[in-house]
Amino acid sequence: MTRWILQILATIGFGLLLGFIGLTMTLDLFGFVDAETRRLSKNPWNRLWGIPDRSPAELRRDSGFTLGRFLVGGAALLLGALALIGGIVLLVSGPLD
């Protein structure tokens, strides 16, 4: 029984963490987008793939970056909410065996 509760609490904690990361990515909390654009503009793989160097401000204005940020952040937010709701439902319903 205690193992069951620990697994459910781990699921709820994982859901909260994943949801917080998704919310941070989607709403640009704590300067996430600034740090990510700085990292992506200085990516050494860009030169290897033939992608021209761009400034972080130019990368931030790019529609592909904005769309990708909302898709990945929104997916992480939804998966986190799904894990959180699933953990609460399992906690309320009790052990399956």
Side-chain angles (χ1 to χ4, degrees), residues 7-76:
Q7 287 175 344
I8 290 172
L9 290 177
T11 303
I12 291 173
F14 177 71
L16 286 173
L17 178 66
L18 194 60
F20 181 73
I21 290 171
L23 188 69
T24 303
M25 290 172 68
T26 305
L27 298 180
D28 186 23
L29 301 175
F30 310 114
F32 174 81
V33 173
D34 296 333
E36 193 64 22
T37 53
R38 277 194 304 272
R39 188 186 67 81
L40 287 174
S41 67
K42 297 176 182 173
N43 190 357
W45 288 97
N46 286 349
R47 289 186 204 97
L48 183 66
W49 291 335
I51 300 172
D53 288 337
R54 296 187 288 181
S55 69
E58 184 182 357
L59 186 62
R60 197 176 305 120
R61 285 190 305 266
D62 187 24
S63 62
F65 177 76
T66 305
L67 180 66
R69 179 177 61 118
F70 279 110
L71 285 176
V72 172

